Amino acid sequence: MDELCESAPVRVLFVDDEENILKALQRLLMDEDFEILTASSAEEGLKLLLANDSVGLIVSDQRMPGVTGVQFLEQAKEMVPDALRIMLTGYADISATVDAINRGGAYRYITKPWNEDELVQTIRDAVRQYRLVQENRRLAAIVSRQNEELREWNTNLKQRVLEQTVELRKKQEALQAYNERLRTNFKETVTAFSRLIELGGKKQHADTVAKLAMNMAQALGLSAEEVETVHNAALLHDIGELGTSSELLRKDPLEMNAGELKEYMLHAVRGQTAIATIEELREAGELIRHHHEHFDGSGFPDGLKGEAIPLGARIIAMADFLDRIMQKLHGSTAIEFGLRSVSAELGKRLDPSLYKPLCKFAKYLYYVRETGIKKLGETEIGLTELTVGQVLSRDLYSGTGLLLLNRGVRLDAVKIEAIRRYYRIDPPPHGIFVEY
């Protein structure tokens, strides 16, 4: 602070009509670190104030011809309000001293004759005070400017943060939409694979098993991720049969000879191997491997028993067993026969604890498939007549027999576009059947 003050240019103006006093003051203060200005009259002093800046202290005699010291200091206060003012006065001029303080804003007064040491110290103190005031003012201006810059910076920062937040939100929404598209594409890919498997002749088998298994898994309190794994595994549980001869697949395992049975039993491991490179399906692959394990340990490929068999695999095994029976049955009473067949295998091939949730959903699913809940009419329409909200009255297949959509599906814009795309690629020899 001292170095800053000492570097500031400060001038001290002495005003007195006696030249010898002015010279005495100059000699006394010649070694001080401020510049000395002298004037022999009030008029001359005012001119010097106009001509010089940084006048920090004005020392004026009271008794001067024409304009008194009080009057001069009063005018000087108007011209340089920041400068400190000191009155030189005699003992007899107390009233003038009071006026100098009241009207001229005098900082102090010094009586004549003065003590040189006291005079020098008073001048030094006054100059130091002026410098301190100026330095404080300079620092206050710097702080004010910096505060303003900080406010502006904060305002800009808030704006930048807001802009970045908006940008991040947009990116997050875009990422979420992208991830949702990936999930949708993944599910559609799994479904597409399951429909390719069904080209071997087991119409809707994978889809029905997947619906049963998913509902059973939910009823058993499995997490959403576990339910999805069970659903995916159920859709793909027969993927290992691809490449196996259709003649062999049409046989019941009980009718197969040793060589055929050995070949057939490989499909569970092949199914796991086929999807092992897809990280998202590895857990489903475990369920596919073990969906032919028997609760009593007599199954394949690893001969697992009881709860050593993954729960998802036990669920799929029960749903698969029921639907294989239901593929051969028709009529409103078919489900009762199918469930009796399941019941006969509880504790042997199948887990007894899964029978109750199976019954709940199987009766509903097969009743709808065999009889239908709604007795509505249907009409055949072309691609151009498809509209959002229409409900398919029949399963929709491509020209080569690939199941595209199930009966009862309500159409939206995405499904309509998919139907049009499939009809361009692999058109069937008929239109689309919808309810009316």
Side-chain angles (χ1 to χ4, degrees), residues 220-328:
L220 292 167
L222 273 65
S223 68
E225 292 79 9
E226 291 171 325
V227 171
E228 184 175 3
T229 297
V230 170
H231 184 259
N232 289 336
L235 283 172
L236 301 175
H237 72 279
D238 283 334
I239 192 172
E241 292 182 356
L242 292 175
T244 303
S245 69
S246 57
E247 181 181 352
L248 177 61
L249 293 176
R250 282 194 293 269
K251 288 185 177 182
D252 186 285
L254 295 176
E255 301 171 352
M256 298 178 185
N257 60 41
E260 291 173 333
L261 184 60
K262 182 179 180 181
E263 173 66 20
Y264 174 75
M265 290 172 62
L266 294 176
H267 82 271
V269 177
R270 285 173 177 167
Q272 181 188 24
T273 305
I275 61 174
T277 57
I278 305 173
E279 184 176 352
E280 291 79 2
L281 290 176
R282 284 176 187 165
E283 292 185 12
E286 287 287 333
L287 305 187
I288 292 172
R289 178 185 182 93
H290 298 298
H291 80 278
H292 277 295
E293 304 284 1
H294 294 172
F295 198 73
D296 62 4
S298 63
F300 63 89
D302 300 316
L304 299 183
K305 182 178 180 180
E307 294 187 0
I309 306 169
L311 176 58
R314 283 180 272 151
I315 291 172
I316 295 170
M318 183 168 282
D320 178 47
F321 180 83
L322 174 62
D323 193 64
R324 286 178 184 273
I325 293 173
M326 294 299 295
Q327 291 273 332
K328 304 172 185 177

Side-chain angles (χ1 to χ4, degrees), residues 9 23-24 50 89 92 100 237 293 311 313 318 328 343 361 390 405:
K23 290 179 180 179
L50 286 173
T89 181
H237 72 279
E293 304 284 1
L311 176 58
M318 183 168 282
K328 304 172 185 177
S343 179
F361 297 106
Q390 290 174 327
L405 293 171

Side-chain angles (χ1 to χ4, degrees), residues 44 59 70 120 157 169 187 207 260 274 307 381 395 426:
E44 185 181 353
V59 182
V70 171
V120 171
L157 178 61
R169 186 179 297 115
K187 290 178 180 178
D207 185 64
E260 291 173 333
E307 294 187 0
I381 62 175
D395 291 334
D426 186 13

Side-chain angles (χ1 to χ4, degrees), residues 8-9 20 60 101 113 151 171 202 234 238 285 299 307 335 359 371 374 395 400 428:
N20 61 326
S60 174
I101 294 172
R151 281 193 293 271
K171 289 181 179 179
K202 293 182 287 188
D238 283 334
E307 294 187 0
I335 182 60
C359 291
T371 65
K374 296 181 180 179
D395 291 334
T400 55

